[in-house]
Amino acid sequence: MNKEVKELRKKFKKYDIDGYVVPKNDDYFTEYSKINRLKIISNFSGSAGLAIILKNKNYLFTDGRYTIQSEMESGKYFKIVSYEKIINCNLFKNLRLGLDPKLFTHQQIKNYFLKNNQTKFISNNLIDEIKNKKIGKSAAFFSLKDEIVGENRKSKINKIVNYLKKNKADNLFVTAPENVAWILNIRGNDSPNSPVPNSRLIIHKSKKIFLIAEPHKAKRLIKEKIINKDQLVSTKNLPKKIFSLNGKNFIIDNKSCSAFYEKIIKSKFKIIKREDPTYFFKAIKNNTEIDNMISTHVIDGVALTKFIYWIKKVNKKKITEVDAQIKLEKFRKKSKKYLYPSFETIAGAGKNGAIVHYRAKKGSCRSIKKNDIFLCDSGGQYKYGTTDVTRTICFTKPKPSIKNIYTKVLKGHIAVANTNLKLDNTGIKIDRRARKYLNESKLDYAHGTGHGVGFFLNVHEGPQSISKLNKVKIQEGMILSNEPGFYKKNSYGIRIENLVFVNKIKKKICFENLTLVPIEKDLINFNLLTKLEKNYLFRYHLDVYSKLSKYLSYNEKKWLASYI
């Protein structure tokens, strides 16, 4: 048993608990955080998970993306269980589980624990008591000019105030940092992969606002007159500020308002709605944001195309997955607009490609062999835009069975790109199109087909997605990923991912590709493609060539032209 679990169990008696719950998220509920208590206690490094440590047994709940990874990283000491099985399960019946109320929403506690057991709120986090990882002071928040974002903050606040009035609400508590970033046109440095400013915001129907943040981070915003001095509230003074507010009710966000803050609000106000409207406003990108994303994807496309040419045609050395990651990063860094990765690169060769969110580590990663299928999922944060792209490539003639499956994934990818959004206008309908050709062979993949993407923000955002359950209407201006895949355990992984935006052409909305990177032709069985699908590939590669060729060397251009 690892020493952290042993130390945690020693605290059970002191706090009169039978177990302790450790989520992946921090108290801002961000996907990527500098604090990762779940990894400390379980060694699990995936982006979604929840551990429950009991006196004699440990459980790790996660989803289908991490089935293989969780077993490898945590299976020795933790029983791995699918996320959906935690909902009102009987594993913890009659047990008293301790948890930090700042890390859970009311809805999570209700879904996971209230039916069959008691929970005990413990305000000091027990993982921090065991291993309090010191996080250095993050850099100050910074503002984006109106010409970069396309809409000023006053306009955005007016949208929200109109929403409050329409819903007869007095206050909105914005608890997701990415939503604060969108409303005020600010960004920060509080995440390793997203320019989010760890902060919260209160908006009153009178247009009064209060930014809740650590004062040293927001000084520049006061200097630039983004906010006034009296509009800044330190995090420790938030409870006091809530009690001083006027009005009878609040709208809060079910996804990121913790049980801790909800309890404070409920002691004075009535909660009338549990959905922050900012998610919907933010999901519809304006023309300026789309234009910035288009130009960003040209820069990113050049870097990735050069990388693919290098790894397939130039590199003669035996390299590891980590070597490949470093080389790709070097290509991205050639642009002065590149800042850092939008998530940790997934570079999986051979059987590692079958681990959906695999992370290669120096010293334990695989050397890329000539007969390996290599899956590379990566993205960047640029001034100004966010990218996310996956390509699966080969280095020698692949087996016909692999080509057939790759081609079925590709057919699903093309089906999504060619969706008639007048007929199939929700994620749940589009998702079926993506899986159709795999499903015909009784094959599938254990992740969604696509997620929303932010503008110079989080690489994953909602409310839109392409998945088996999402019913949000796809609208003009939304950006999503298109990424069907297939994973054969201990053998290989396949995924083809582009980012697309919803464009309006002659009163008709359709998906248009943002990503400009060649799709591996050596893995395609062209006999399985229809004429329509072949035409799509021709047009796509013609578009890639026309937009990237002027930035490529003669040999790179010649190679890319062979895809047309």
Side-chain angles (χ1 to χ4, degrees):
M1 184 53 58
N2 68 41
K3 64 178 182 178
E4 286 80 17
V5 170
K6 284 180 181 175
E7 288 296 311
L8 179 60
R9 284 176 174 165
K10 286 177 186 176
K11 295 178 178 292
F12 288 4
K13 191 173 181 181
K14 177 183 173 182
Y15 290 100
D16 188 27
I17 55 175
D18 300 302
Y20 191 68
V21 190
V22 185
K24 164 68 173 68
N25 58 276
D26 61 8
D27 59 339
Y28 286 95
F29 294 85
T30 48
E31 182 178 11
Y32 302 110
S33 171
K34 291 176 181 176
I35 299 168
N36 192 342
R37 298 179 180 95
L38 182 62
K39 191 173 191 302
I40 290 169
I41 203 68
S42 71
N43 196 45
F44 176 62
S45 62
S47 65
L50 177 116
I52 298 178
I53 289 85
L54 303 179
K55 289 174 182 175
N56 299 305
K57 201 160 189 177
N58 308 315
Y59 294 88
L60 175 65
F61 293 84
T62 189
D63 61 41
R65 294 172 296 170
Y66 297 111
T67 305
I68 302 171
Q69 183 181 336
S70 57
E71 284 288 355
M72 289 170 65
E73 293 180 339
S74 312
K76 189 175 178 181
Y77 298 126
F78 285 75
K79 181 175 173 59
I80 313 300
V81 187
S82 177
Y83 244 147
E84 53 265 27
K85 290 185 181 173
I86 197 175
I87 306 293
N88 292 324
C89 71
N90 288 313
L91 289 171
F92 315 110
K93 193 173 183 180
N94 301 322
L95 296 180
R96 189 174 176 84
L97 299 181
L99 56 84
D100 182 345
K102 294 185 287 298
L103 304 182
F104 289 88
T105 66
H106 168 80
Q107 194 63 43
Q108 285 174 325
I109 294 168
K110 184 180 172 185
N111 285 348
Y112 296 170
F113 310 119
L114 285 190
K115 184 179 176 184
N116 288 326
N117 66 278
Q118 296 171 290
T119 54
K120 182 179 181 180
F121 287 1
I122 301 171
S123 57
N124 45 319
N125 190 282
L126 301 192
I127 304 301
D128 292 350
E129 285 187 1
I130 295 165
K131 196 168 184 174
N132 194 356
K133 190 181 177 186
K134 298 286 182 187
I135 303 293
K137 275 193 174 183
S138 294
F141 299 161
F142 58 96
S143 60
L144 299 180
K145 291 179 180 177
D146 292 350
E147 52 264 38
I148 291 167
V149 293
E151 184 180 6
N152 64 48
R153 62 186 180 279
K154 285 182 181 177
S155 170
K156 293 176 178 181
I157 290 168
N158 283 339
K159 274 183 185 175
I160 289 165
V161 167
N162 289 337
Y163 179 90
L164 291 176
K165 288 176 179 176
K166 189 179 176 182
N167 287 275
K168 296 179 181 175
D170 298 318
N171 297 284
L172 169 66
F173 190 25
V174 182
T175 41
E178 66 267 28
N179 289 351
V180 179
W182 181 84
I183 295 165
L184 297 182
N185 291 335
I186 63 172
R187 299 295 189 268
N189 299 278
D190 291 315
S191 164
N193 301 106
S194 300
V196 294
N198 275 357
S199 53
R200 300 176 178 92
L201 187 69
I202 294 172
I203 302 177
H204 187 264
K205 65 180 179 183
S206 66
K207 298 185 186 177
K208 275 187 184 176
I209 66 165
F210 297 98
L211 177 66
I212 299 96
E214 297 309 317
H216 73 274
K217 292 182 184 179
K219 280 181 182 176
R220 193 192 294 178
L221 302 185
I222 295 170
K223 194 177 179 182
E224 293 175 356
K225 297 183 179 176
I226 307 298
I227 58 167
N228 301 324
K229 197 174 181 180
D230 61 356
Q231 291 176 318
L232 177 61
V233 180
S234 69
T235 304
K236 67 179 180 183
N237 290 335
L238 177 54
K240 189 178 173 183
K241 171 52 70 178
I242 289 170
F243 282 119
S244 73
L245 294 169
N246 296 322
K248 294 178 181 177
N249 56 50
F250 251 88
I251 292 175
I252 66 169
D253 178 22
N254 221 16
K255 300 180 196 74
S256 61
C257 180
S258 69
F260 176 80
Y261 286 120
E262 180 172 339
K263 189 178 178 183
I264 292 167
I265 291 170
K266 281 174 87 172
S267 66
K268 182 179 175 181
F269 298 93
K270 182 183 178 184
I271 291 168
I272 60 166
K273 212 172 175 69
R274 294 174 175 272
E275 193 165 47
D276 181 353
T278 313
Y279 289 109
F280 292 89
F281 295 139
K282 177 164 59 72
I284 309 295
K285 309 296 185 281
N286 59 47
N287 290 338
T288 303
E289 290 172 314
I290 294 291
D291 287 345
N292 276 319
M293 287 289 270
I294 289 170
S295 59
T296 294
H297 278 80
V298 171
I299 299 167
D300 200 54
V302 170
L304 271 154
T305 300
K306 283 177 172 288
F307 167 73
I308 294 171
Y309 174 74
W310 173 83
I311 201 169
K312 279 179 71 74
K313 299 293 181 183
V314 176
N315 178 57
K316 302 299 177 191
K317 292 189 296 181
K318 197 163 192 177
I319 63 166
T320 67
E321 295 160 329
V322 169
D323 293 332
Q325 281 177 213
I326 292 168
K327 187 69 177 180
L328 174 53
E329 180 83 350
K330 282 181 180 175
F331 280 116
R332 282 198 167 105
K333 282 179 176 176
K334 287 183 179 181
S335 168
K336 289 178 182 177
K337 292 188 175 184
Y338 177 72
L339 297 169
Y340 47 82
S342 56
F343 56 94
E344 278 189 74
T345 297
I346 299 162
K351 66 179 183 179
N352 290 340
I355 303 167
V356 181
H357 279 196
Y358 171 73
R359 298 288 187 264
K361 298 283 186 286
K362 209 168 186 176
S364 63
C365 65
R366 181 183 171 97
S367 288
I368 303 171
K369 296 171 185 170
K370 190 143 185 155
N371 60 349
D372 279 342
I373 303 299
F374 180 58
L375 187 155
C376 188
D377 186 349
S378 68
Q381 295 287 3
Y382 291 81
K383 290 181 177 179
Y384 293 96
T386 303
T387 72
D388 180 5
V389 55
T390 309
R391 287 296 181 264
T392 307
I393 58 180
C394 62
F395 309 101
T396 189
K397 195 175 179 182
K399 292 177 184 175
S401 60
I402 294 175
K403 287 180 75 169
N404 289 346
I405 290 174
Y406 179 91
T407 307
K408 285 170 184 177
V409 173
L410 175 60
K411 285 168 78 73
H413 176 89
I414 295 172
V416 171
N418 286 336
T419 299
N420 181 342
L421 292 173
K422 193 175 179 182
L423 292 175
D424 296 323
N425 60 357
T426 59
I428 192 170
K429 291 178 180 177
I430 301 167
D431 188 79
R432 291 186 198 121
R433 292 172 60 82
R435 297 175 196 272
K436 178 185 172 185
Y437 303 99
L438 285 167
N439 289 170
E440 284 172 355
S441 302
K442 296 183 179 175
L443 303 173
D444 205 352
Y445 48 95
H447 59 76
T449 300
H451 52 83
V453 179
F455 165 70
F456 188 42
L457 263 176
N458 289 348
V459 74
H460 297 142
E461 73 168 28
Q464 77 279 19
S465 73
I466 303 172
S467 64
K468 290 179 178 180
L469 298 173
N470 195 285
K471 294 180 180 178
V472 173
K473 189 177 178 182
I474 303 298
Q475 296 178 52
E476 182 186 356
M478 286 182 170
I479 296 175
L480 298 106
S481 67
N482 169 11
E483 50 180 311
F486 179 76
Y487 312 89
K488 187 175 181 181
K489 191 175 179 179
N490 294 323
S491 191
Y492 61 85
I494 293 166
R495 188 159 66 250
I496 305 167
E497 177 187 19
N498 279 7
L499 296 194
V500 297
F501 73 98
V502 184
N503 197 12
K504 195 170 193 176
I505 302 169
K506 295 179 181 177
K507 297 182 180 179
K508 184 183 174 185
I509 64 167
C510 58
F511 284 135
E512 194 165 321
N513 281 303
L514 286 166
T515 303
L516 296 165
V517 180
I519 294 168
E520 178 63 276
K521 64 176 182 177
D522 295 332
L523 278 165
I524 301 171
N525 178 353
F526 284 92
N527 293 327
L528 295 181
L529 296 182
T530 64
K531 188 178 178 183
L532 189 77
E533 290 163 342
K534 288 174 184 174
N535 285 343
Y536 170 87
L537 270 181
F538 170 77
R539 288 194 309 272
Y540 178 72
H541 284 123
L542 185 64
D543 193 37
V544 171
Y545 185 85
S546 66
K547 288 172 180 171
L548 303 189
S549 59
K550 61 183 173 183
Y551 304 105
L552 304 177
S553 69
Y554 173 78
N555 286 336
E556 288 165 343
K557 271 195 272 196
K558 189 178 175 185
W559 166 78
L560 184 58
S562 71
Y563 280 76
I564 301 170

